[in-house]
Amino acid sequence: MKAEKMKLFSTHKLGNIELKNRIVMAPMTRARANGNIPNDMMATYYAKRADAGLIITEGTAPSPNGLGYARIPGIYSQSQINGWKKITKTVHNNGGKIFMQIMHTGRVSHPLNMEEGARILAPSAIALSGEMYTDQEGLKPYPTPEAMSIEEIKQAQAEFVEAARNAIEAGFDGVEIHAANGYLANQFLNPASNQRNDIYGGSAENRNRFVIELAEQVANAIGADKTGVRLSPYGVFNDMEIYEGIDEAFISLARELDKLKLVYLHLVDLSAQGAPEVPQSIKDSIRSAFKGNVIINGGLNKDTAEATLNEEKGELVAFGVPFISNPDLVYKIENDLELNAPDPDTFFTPGIEGYLDYPTLN
């Protein structure tokens, strides 16, 4: 089928903005924000990919406590806001639209990757297995996090809200709350990391509470038409587990998020990377429960992405790793051109190698 007749390359209204196509650049940590401040190198990286209908940035910390990995950006200081302003401006100047993904890493952290005085907080004091990379000392075991008090939960939610306001000040078209992949919001959803016995733990309704409140507060602060949420049903990254009642829990969560009239729900399926298969039935049920825009993400190519749209499984489709090595991915998909292979060894390293040096055709 010719590109001009494909749904993939049709425009789409997302809240109050119009996307020039339905291809989304998925959020991907790239660890290039030295000192946790966005920089000119990052502005070039995102501007090169502004042909996407929508860019969702790498996970961005809403506070010092949310800094998990080495060299990830934040959005809680004026210098960070100013750094992001350069990025949104250059993306917009290149005709793109851009949302910020707000990511509090919770227990997925190490003090060496954090500012002095920051604390590793989580729903429960359960340490993650394995080790985390630090620039100073290489791999280090994950520390046991502090279990959050109710006051600390409210504070973390307030940090997300302030981060969302800061993102709008920095020129973003909206924000995505990262409630997937085992980070703080997902840690509340999953009983592997949430063994609380108060209103934020125990039942699925209680475990869902943190994310629902968080989405409502952010939507109230910046507008539901600028607020999306990312979920990873059946995701096991960062020691998440598939638990009894998981389908019902996610369907209920989607139903509650639908009541908030959020601009989108972003469903990530990591089975292409070895995670458990996400049954189509649960995706369909979530789609039925959430009436707004749905972004489908995970192992797609041109044909499967087009089929996803035509079968109305989602309004938008997201590509991750192919965007790393192909700044001109949209052009290449449109013209059936061969893609550059990515170099996983440079996904998270500092500097331009594996970041700004992939060749383009257009």
Side-chain angles (χ1 to χ4, degrees), residues 78-244:
Q78 192 59 52
S79 58
Q80 290 166 340
I81 294 170
N82 292 343
W84 281 117
K85 280 181 178 178
K86 293 180 185 177
I87 292 170
T88 59
K89 183 178 180 181
T90 189
V91 168
H92 288 146
N93 286 346
N94 281 275
K97 304 293 183 185
I98 185 167
F99 271 44
M100 169 181 282
Q101 187 191 68
I102 304 175
M103 176 181 77
H104 190 306
T105 54
R107 67 177 185 170
V108 187
S109 192
H110 193 279
L112 291 174
N113 291 335
M114 305 169 82
E115 296 179 6
E116 192 172 342
R119 297 162 63 206
I120 301 175
L121 302 173
S124 300
I126 302 169
L128 192 61
S129 64
E131 297 176 310
M132 164 167 270
Y133 174 80
T134 69
D135 281 338
Q136 301 92 325
E137 298 181 20
L139 292 172
K140 303 288 288 184
Y142 286 101
T144 300
E146 300 176 58
M148 299 168 81
S149 66
I150 294 289
E151 184 180 355
E152 286 161 348
I153 288 172
K154 300 300 182 188
Q155 176 61 31
Q157 291 173 328
E159 290 167 356
F160 270 87
V161 172
E162 186 62 23
R165 289 197 177 105
N166 289 346
I168 299 303
E169 180 188 337
F172 282 92
D173 297 298
V175 305
E176 174 178 286
I177 296 167
H178 197 355
N181 298 9
Y183 300 111
L184 182 68
N186 193 185
Q187 289 162 30
F188 274 93
L189 298 177
N190 199 293
S193 49
N194 181 353
Q195 295 178 11
R196 302 176 70 91
N197 55 13
D198 61 8
I199 62 167
Y200 290 99
S203 67
E205 181 183 6
N206 283 352
R207 294 197 311 272
N208 286 351
R209 190 184 307 275
F210 178 85
V211 172
I212 295 165
E213 289 180 349
L214 184 55
E216 183 174 22
Q217 290 171 31
V218 170
N220 286 342
I222 66 168
D225 62 330
K226 296 181 176 67
T227 306
V229 171
R230 191 182 212 214
L231 299 175
S232 55
Y234 284 68
V236 294
F237 188 56
N238 285 323
D239 284 2
M240 296 294 94
E241 67 181 20
I242 296 172
Y243 50 90
E244 187 177 348

Side-chain angles (χ1 to χ4, degrees), residues 249-306:
F250 271 97
I251 293 164
S252 175
L253 176 58
R255 195 176 294 120
E256 292 302 312
L257 294 176
D258 178 66
K259 292 177 184 176
L260 303 177
K261 306 301 180 191
L262 303 182
V263 74
Y264 71 70
L265 202 56
H266 185 177
L267 297 181
V268 58
D269 179 347
L270 296 172
S271 57
Q273 298 175 27
E277 191 80 35
V278 183
Q280 188 58 46
S281 58
I282 179 66
K283 294 180 187 177
D284 292 342
S285 296
I286 289 172
R287 175 142 179 79
S288 296
F290 185 84
K291 306 294 192 293
N293 294 289
V294 172
I295 303 175
I296 298 296
N297 177 209
L300 297 172
N301 58 35
K302 182 178 183 176
D303 292 336
T304 56
E306 180 69 9

